[in-house]
Amino acid sequence: MGDNYEVIGKSVPRIDGVAKATGRAKYTGDLKFPNMLVGKILHSPHAHARILNIDTSEAEKLPGVKAVITHRDVPSTKYGLSPARWDETIFCIDKVRFVGDKVAAVAAVDEETAYKALKLIKVDYEVLPAVFDPYEALKEGAPQIFEEYPGNVNTEIHQHFGDVDKAFEEAYHVRRDFFSGQRTYHSPLEPHASIAFWEGDKVTIYCSTQSVHYLQYHLARVFGMPMGNIRVLKTHVGGGFGGKIDPTGLDFSAVKLSQITGRPVKMLFDRKEMFYNNRGRHAQYMELTTGVTKEGKILGVHANFVMDGGAYTGLGVASAYYAGALLTVLYDFDNYKFDMVRAVTNLPGCGAQRGHGQPQPRFAFESHLDHIAEDLGIDPLEIRIINARKPKTVTINDFRVDSYALKEALEKAREISGWRDKKGKLPPGRGIGVGNGGFVSGAGYPCYRTDLPQAVAIIKVHDDGSMATLYTGAVEIGQGSDTVLLQMAAEAMGYPLEKMRIVASDTDLATHDFGAYASRQTLMSGWAVKKAGEEIKDKILKTAAEMMLVVPEQLDVKQGIVFLKAHPEESLTFEEVARTYFVKYGQLIGQGSYKPPKLGGTFKGAAVGTSPAYSAATQVAEVEIDEETGEIKVIEAWDVHDCGMVINPALLHAQVHGAFYMGMGESIWEEVLFDENGDVANGNLAEYRMPTALDMPPVTSELVDSIDPNAPWGVKEVGEGATTPTMACLANAIYDAMGVRIESLPLTYEKVWRALKEKREKEKEKA
Amino acid sequence: MYLPDFEYYAPATLSEACDLLEKLGPEAKVFAGGTDVLSKMKQELLFPKAIVSLKNLGGLSEIRLGNNNDVIIGAKATHNNLIDSPVLQEKYPSLCNAARQMANNQVRNIGTVGGNIVNAVPSADLPPLLIALGAKIKLVGATGERVLPLEDFFTGPNKSVIEQDEILTEFIIEEQPFTGSTYIKFALRRSGALAVASVAAAVAMEGNVCRKARIVLGAVAPTPLRAKKAEEMLTGKEITDELLEEAGSAASKESKPISDIRGSEEYRRDLVRVLTGRALRKAINEGHV
């Protein structure tokens, strides 16, 4: 791949690499403005309580405090990332619903004063019974958290395609398993930050965000302002992983505090506050029933899930749908039933985290599938090959899948991991496992109902042709999108990458785009960029044709040289052609816009899971278990990805490594824990244990050839898809190593120790 | 998170420091590396009115050989000083390895040995092995100094026998009867994690006979804990796999772990059993590692 291209398909260094590696890159928290105040939010100490009174008078008297705000000072408009359940207000009005809920905010001359002011705000609470477990929450008589969700049922889904009962009747073997997941948190390195300042009736917000558009939209909605009066922009962002797609209390508070004080206000979360803000992965409880033929062909699947949503919905309805919707993509079967209840509890609200709703169901399904393979005496990798979806097919829930090389990925993973030499042949305590995954390359529909295009891009060539600027609303959050989109622009224009600049994610200066989520930017923003670049190329060829007295079709342009295809030595430079264009016609501008065709079916929830293209991935991992202590060492891992055409291989492989790292953490170490009052018990990086570099095994990342017809140059996603197989491949490897299944995530050392102890005791009993 | 207000002193001499501590009373806190004090203050777990920094006191971070081949470790030596010390690498590489298992490189670079002890955290990495090696500590106060076995220092989590005016100045490890020593830490990832359970062992071997053994458990009791029954079991005995297993079981019974977010009581107790056997085996077979 990439041989026919000048700029794409090449591992060019990321454009922000030097600034980041040398510490010159400024993140939102680094920015300072004259007269800037610091704001902090007062969080609820109770998991569930009625607010009887809030007295801010003492806080207001503290020298250095410039403003104190509560729900009385801000609109009571409810919001949430997904309009299906707007249930959150800027500050709590009548009650608080989890430890960490937003009660008030202060702005002061410095951080210390702001913290001190928080302590002076007196809130009288009437503490209410709280519920922290989704099953408890769904029981009759459980504390009611929201009036609008009777029985604490936030979302209920019942979908049935084909006839699952009939499929089970016809099946040679039907198996049911139950698995559970845990709450995890994205833990981006850079904490959330927001700085707001006003000029007249216009407000500017610098924000560490994954989407300048959604923030602008929600601020406009809640404050009742025209979107044009709100400018959202960002500097460098130190990771998001889904945790920076929702608007936060920082954004709303900073805007209001800045309006009241007339001064810029900067607000940051500390690490524990990040855990309060959460929007991390839902804990899911997953019952799976599958019927198969004797040969291992899947006939029907019933997924019966419960998920803990926490206090507010955010994007949680989509998470609930995603959990079941994407189960149909990897393997081809005709009968599928999906039942889901998303319960609200008195814990921080959950949302989208890398792989959105899907990684835990993949863990469950892939573990389940290994059991089925074992029941039938089929190699786990083989049963996946038997069922792998073929390209140019439509899933039972109406997703059109054009390119799809899962089978090839499985075969390549089998080869590079040495599967045949290892499976069943490793020494005691060692195991090998496989898991499959994949993801949408952009959600088919935006988070709120709108007919706006997904992405718009503009390229402006400088007057003398010596430079070109790409304007995009795509959001660089560390994944490399600025670099990749510039490569795409340069390729489409026939222009050298070194001469390109980017203005991105600024609602005033750049263009519209929904942002960095659902693995959408390479495909969707990329489409807009490609079209913009092609418009420039078109204009350059037309102008050059006039200059060379030929027709445009005789010409091509590559790396800044316009040449006659038949006689490449007859050429003009892009620069001189661009300058001529400027003199004759004005600014040389290209514009592109992308909106996918109508996707998906017409049933309730049909939109979730639609995408122009689907990635596929196979991961194999080898582990070693200390049978006495339960300690798990991940020895090596292999990932083979079908991610379409690759724009920047180095960045792609970095995504795979990062995704495996993150999935590995969620498999073995990471879990957000709560104390008996519902407060986060490990809201810091010492006790919320993400793996360190020392825990990371060597990872081999490989590709299979695949070009998607619905994507610019055939690209697909990689960033999220590569997290979705990891929990399963490690779970299956651990199972292979110890011969007992741990059904709940994370697969901690203690769980392994306990499972092995119980296994030994059982064996003893038998003997 | 922010640092609450406090007064700051950086006395030039040890006696000045002790006098200050006496004068300021219990609300003054000694500050060496600060890795513990500062983070606790920021988390509002500690509110000292005054900080007495040891930064201007000279000569407290040396690691050297004293009389009779004693190893003297200045209390201000950082964990990385221990790791890099030629004296320790020669005499007790096991101590270098124990220091290497603490926290992460940034903390090891600034956190001091004295701090690791005076904090009196049950999961601290250095106390078990130092106790196993019979280390003594010198406490200097406003009216004099005293030397006591480290083993007698701890009285509970964050509690010790140190007096308000006292500063821990040095560790003394006398020439050992032990032929081998080691520290094994069990934590939930390979770096930057507190011990769930840890075991230090020191043994004096004569051929295959154990003349003397010390086993010290970490993170499984309110203080570092000698597993004396297990030690006795080994003393004067020929080492067999069976005996080591029995010693492990004995140590496990002697431990007093609690359940917390890092592990259950039951798990910790079994870890002690396994780690004791492994530590003994290592100290017996590999020397001071």
Side-chain angles (χ1 to χ4, degrees), chain A residues 123-153:
Chain A
V123 188
D124 297 329
Y125 294 102
E126 177 198 339
V127 177
L128 301 170
V131 61
F132 306 127
D133 175 274
Y135 287 100
E136 292 298 320
L138 293 171
K139 278 184 187 160
E140 212 168 301
Q144 288 297 294
I145 302 170
F146 288 88
E147 268 176 33
E148 55 263 53
Y149 308 135
N152 296 320
V153 175

Side-chain angles (χ1 to χ4, degrees), chain A residues 112 115-116 119 626 628-629 631 633 669 673 685-687 689-690 692 694-695 749-750 753-754 757, chain B residues 1-3 5 44 186-191 193-194 261-264 266-267 270-271 274 278:
Chain A
E112 189 174 329
Y115 272 111
K116 286 177 176 166
K119 291 204 177 80
D626 183 325
E628 286 186 304
T629 64
E631 186 174 2
K633 273 186 193 153
W669 292 284
L673 301 168
L685 297 183
E687 295 297 346
R689 273 179 301 276
M690 297 188 286
T692 67
L694 294 177
D695 300 291
Y749 301 168
E750 182 164 353
W753 166 82
R754 194 173 297 281
K757 184 171 150 258
Chain B
M1 294 197 285
Y2 69 100
L3 273 180
D5 298 333
E44 301 180 36
F186 188 83
L188 299 178
R189 67 180 167 196
R190 286 192 207 172
S191 172
L194 293 175
I261 57 171
R262 288 182 284 278
S264 69
E266 190 192 0
Y267 184 41
D270 199 49
L271 285 173
V274 173
R278 287 183 186 179

